Amino acid sequence: MSIDRANIRWNGWGRENARTTFHVPETVWTWLAGVLGMPALLATPARTIEDIALPSVRLDAHDRGAIDAIVGSEQVHGDAHDRARHALGRSYYDLLRLRAGAPQFAPDAVVYPRSTSEVLALLAMASGRDLAVVPFGGGTSVVGGVTASAASHRAVIAIDMSRMSTVLFVDMRSLVASAEAGIFGPDLEKQLQSHGVTLGHYPQSFEFSTLGGWIAHRGSGQASGGYGRVKDWLLGLKLATPRGLLEVKPFPASSAGPDLLQLVAGSEGTLGIIAEATFRVRSRPTVSHYGAFLFPSFESGADAIRKAVQENVPATMLRLSDADETEFQRGYAGVGQSELRKHLAHLYLRARGVTAGASLLIAGFEGEPARVAHARRAFLAITKKAGAIGLGQGPGQRWLKGRFEAPYLRDELMGRGVGVDTFETATGWTNVARLHAAASAALREALRASAPKEGSKGITMCHISHAYTDGASLYFTCIFPRALDDEIGQWRMIKTAVTDALIANGGTLSHHHGVGEDHLAWMEEEKGPLGLDLLLAAKAALDPKGVLNPGKLIAARTPFRPFAQHAFENSALPASRPPARKGAGE
Ligand SMILES: Cc1cc2nc3c(=O)[nH]c(=O)nc-3n(C[C@H](O)[C@H](O)[C@H](O)COP(=O)(O)OP(=O)(O)OC[C@H]3O[C@@H](n4cnc5c(N)ncnc54)[C@H](O)[C@@H]3O)c2cc1C
């Protein structure tokens, strides 16, 4: 069962004409306008597909003939909807351009292979004909990972993997399974769970992202505490490259040289196209318990998570909101509640010693009943010592139910003149507080400096989303009034300020979103010149003509270009240069 692309929105989240799974009452929009210092939210509808300006097609009849000869003409699409759907990913920056009807880029054709041999033939053909190739899974990249930009080549094709979606085997004895890489999250889980096992990889983009995309950017599901990240569950794969098939065999462990699996994981379609993957699975949980706690402060909550992880408490998910995020969630949930009820809640919390600065933690436990009971007991003891209050299962269950809703809400916000973006990183426990403070301050300042009107303001918040014995990831969200006369300039200012702050304060460039085009300018700071040379050498070995996903992750370094600068040339949207970055001399 593969997803029908014709039913997927080309400029937003979800299926065409599908209602979102939740309704936002008018009172919430009024409340939000107040929080953002706007007299009222605006009406900023997206352009329709009829209004969209796509670049003209550059493939000639010989190219088209060569592609058709490999996959058959019915597997090659060139209609506006399919080209627009494959033009960009799903970042705020992508949506700005798509909703304005000016994506600037679009593949000259979208090709749907059905087998590894077709993918191999397509890559050999593209190398020979100077065609760039964008490997495309669900297209949910938020870092410009699937932008159909290819100035360096004659034309660009998107290779959409969604028709390679078969589960190949489930080995119940070894707890290992294998599938083609274009399978979408819900389909994969449904088939695995019918065997009584699960992969447990649930990124927020789960509904519309694929196994190949998860591996290609080495991401993390929300329940990584229990089921691991890509690097923990990936065992083997088949990578189609312009030079042939690279097979990394699935062994439980091996000391036969450097781990090629981890070279391919995170390569973001620049080294090859993952055709198949083999991965560890676990028994499907029989019990699931998601509860909530209110900690006196972000620091005390973070310390409780650190202790839980270092003491091996088997939690599936520990997610701690900072005071701003907790306050925002409280405000959102409180819209429409009577003042008396809010006051009573306030008095109750004060009596329990919780005042301003409190931080909400959602703790999830899944597995066998005895294991879950043991984990909950151990975690409860830690929360008690930290002075946290248990809030029962209500908030945890609500979080679980709405865990995939945020991208639908983002579309609603963008249609009302409101921007929303996210940034994520990871650092050691000794540095979590410093990085949290510095990046929050940089984000606040960028929102202030880019606010469209006197009195309007953005809001910032953060949560710990994944935890390890040595550190944790921090996930920042900002919601802000859009500067409609220079939206991209506003985004660029915010993105640059926050990313600079993350790097300057000891955070990684990305914990789970990857690099793509949008983070490219910071790659050398993260990997160092030799590290970058190593990656470029791997690319030269597998993709000598450089046709695979050009301009992403490991683009050649000279001359240094500020990130995605080309995106502004001939833009139908207002263009503005990013603030100069250290060492960014173009
Ligand atoms: C609302 C939202 C929430 C998100 N939440 C999370 C989250 O919780 N955790 C997380 O890790 N990420 C998250 N992401 C980021 C994104 O969803 C992930 O990057 C996702 O795993 C990408 O999968 P995809 O199939 O959509 O890949 P795509 O977006 O299609 O591709 C991502 C990258 O991988 C390459 N690629 C895709 N398929 C293949 C293949 N078969 N072989 C080689 N290269 C390939 C592409 O060229 C691109 O560089 C989120 C994104 C959105 C929009």
Side-chain angles (χ1 to χ4, degrees):
M1 182 187 70
S2 92
I3 280 198
D4 179 2
R5 287 281 184 216
N7 286 332
I8 301 292
R9 293 188 62 197
W10 63 274
N11 63 354
W13 197 255
R15 293 186 165 79
E16 294 283 1
N17 305 322
R19 288 169 62 84
T20 50
T21 48
F22 60 99
H23 168 69
V24 181
E26 220 32 61
T27 44
V28 168
W29 298 128
T30 310
W31 167 78
L32 186 64
V35 172
L36 297 175
M38 297 166 79
L41 299 186
L42 310 171
T44 49
R47 295 257 172 99
T48 63
I49 192 79
E50 289 76 30
D51 291 336
I52 191 168
L54 293 176
S56 49
V57 172
R58 292 159 295 177
L59 288 176
D60 62 29
H62 298 293
D63 298 325
R64 186 59 205 252
I67 300 170
D68 288 358
I70 296 169
V71 292
S73 58
E74 68 287 3
Q75 308 299 330
V76 189
H77 293 194
D79 57 285
H81 184 283
D82 238 5
R83 290 183 68 211
R85 178 63 192 87
H86 292 81
L88 301 170
R90 285 296 171 270
S91 68
Y92 172 65
Y93 177 38
D94 295 333
L95 291 179
L96 276 181
R97 288 175 289 172
L98 287 169
R99 292 175 61 92
Q104 282 199 281
F105 306 103
D108 295 287
V110 182
V111 187
Y112 292 86
R114 287 159 301 181
S115 67
T116 305
S117 55
E118 285 185 356
V119 178
L120 281 165
L122 284 168
L123 293 179
M125 181 276 308
S127 275
R129 302 190 73 81
D130 188 30
L131 304 179
V133 167
V134 178
F136 201 96
T140 64
S141 168
V142 281
V143 292
V146 291
T147 305
S149 54
S152 48
H153 297 267
R154 242 176 2 91
V156 54
I157 57 174
I159 296 196
D160 185 310
M161 296 296 288
S162 60
R163 292 186 189 167
M164 292 179 60
S165 58
T166 306
V167 171
L168 300 167
F169 67 79
V170 179
D171 174 348
M172 294 298 292
R173 190 169 175 81
S174 306
L175 285 180
V176 166
S178 182
E180 288 183 307
I183 191 164
F184 281 80
D187 190 10
L188 177 62
E189 269 303 326
K190 193 171 164 205
Q191 294 202 47
L192 292 177
Q193 290 187 19
S194 72
H195 291 267
V197 293
T198 178
L199 173 58
H201 189 82
Y202 292 107
Q204 194 187 52
S205 55
F206 176 72
E207 289 174 281
F208 298 102
S209 58
T210 63
L211 174 63
W214 299 343
I215 296 167
H217 82 104
R218 209 168 67 242
S220 290
Q222 291 164 335
S224 71
Y227 300 99
R229 289 163 57 84
V230 167
K231 79 166 183 47
D232 305 314
W233 51 250
L234 183 64
L235 270 179
L237 50 76
K238 288 187 182 166
L239 183 78
T241 81
R243 291 198 49 215
L245 193 69
L246 172 70
E247 182 173 2
V248 186
K249 293 180 182 153
F251 298 113
S254 167
S255 75
D259 189 351
L260 297 182
L261 206 53
Q262 297 306 334
L263 181 67
V264 176
S267 62
E268 300 187 7
T270 61
L271 299 182
I273 297 189
I274 300 157
E276 294 175 13
T278 303
F279 43 88
R280 296 184 173 96
V281 291
R282 293 164 192 247
S283 297
R284 189 180 165 180
T286 49
V287 174
S288 161
H289 186 286
Y290 280 72
F293 299 86
L294 203 54
F295 281 80
S297 65
F298 184 62
E299 288 67 28
S300 59
D303 219 43
I305 294 182
R306 179 184 64 75
K307 284 189 183 130
V309 180
Q310 290 178 350
E311 287 168 19
N312 287 324
V313 175
T316 304
M317 189 197 80
L318 296 171
R319 184 184 195 277
L320 175 75
S321 296
D322 71 359
D324 291 332
E325 191 168 282
T326 303
E327 200 46 48
F328 181 80
Q329 288 166 350
R330 205 149 55 178
Y332 182 87
V335 176
Q337 275 180 7
S338 72
E339 287 309 311
L340 176 64
R341 193 169 160 186
K342 283 189 221 169
H343 186 62
L344 288 176
H346 174 73
L347 289 180
Y348 171 76
L349 290 176
R350 207 173 60 182
R352 301 277 316 255
V354 177
T355 50
S359 279
L360 178 74
L361 182 140
I362 309 279
F365 302 93
E366 297 179 7
E368 292 305 308
R371 184 178 158 88
V372 167
H374 155 74
R376 285 183 54 209
R377 260 196 315 276
F379 190 63
L380 202 60
I382 293 173
T383 64
K384 280 201 172 136
K385 270 194 201 149
I389 301 175
L391 300 179
Q393 287 198 63
Q397 288 304 325
R398 277 196 293 282
W399 177 85
L400 201 57
K401 191 162 168 273
R403 69 201 282 193
F404 304 133
E405 284 180 350
Y408 296 96
L409 182 59
R410 179 174 59 166
D411 286 346
E412 298 285 331
L413 288 165
M414 290 192 75
R416 288 171 169 78
V418 177
V420 50
D421 206 356
T422 60
F423 313 90
E424 40 78 59
T425 186
T427 195
W429 283 116
T430 42
N431 194 45
V432 165
R434 170 178 160 239
L435 183 58
H436 173 246
S440 301
L443 185 50
R444 267 194 297 274
E445 175 52 23
L447 291 176
R448 191 201 58 73
S450 66
K453 284 207 177 73
E454 192 74 19
S456 69
K457 59 178 189 299
I459 46 184
T460 68
M461 48 188 123
C462 177
H463 61 259
I464 288 182
S465 55
H466 305 266
Y468 310 94
T469 53
D470 53 333
S473 76
L474 290 171
Y475 188 98
F476 297 86
T477 303
C478 59
I479 304 176
F480 51 96
R482 282 158 60 185
L484 297 178
D485 58 346
D486 186 9
E487 308 208 69
I488 290 186
Q490 180 187 38
W491 170 78
R492 205 172 255 271
M493 176 188 270
I494 297 167
K495 178 79 179 169
T496 305
V498 178
T499 313
D500 277 347
L502 296 179
I503 300 288
N505 290 283
T508 173
L509 185 47
S510 173
H511 170 265
H512 59 264
H513 284 167
V515 177
E517 283 195 348
D518 295 355
H519 290 155
L520 192 58
W522 288 271
M523 260 301 263
E524 192 163 349
E525 275 166 82
E526 172 109 6
K527 298 289 178 211
L530 274 183
L532 219 53
D533 279 350
L534 202 57
L535 293 177
L536 285 166
K539 181 158 178 76
L542 297 176
D543 176 25
K545 298 275 175 64
V547 296
L548 276 158
N549 225 2
K552 323 294 189 321
L553 181 70
I554 43 175
R557 272 175 289 149
T558 51
F560 189 93
R561 286 154 57 100
F563 69 106
Q565 180 60 36
H566 60 79
F568 293 87
E569 290 149 16
N570 311 315
S571 173
L573 291 175
S576 65
R577 283 189 70 82
R581 296 189 55 248
K582 276 187 278 148
E586 192 184 29

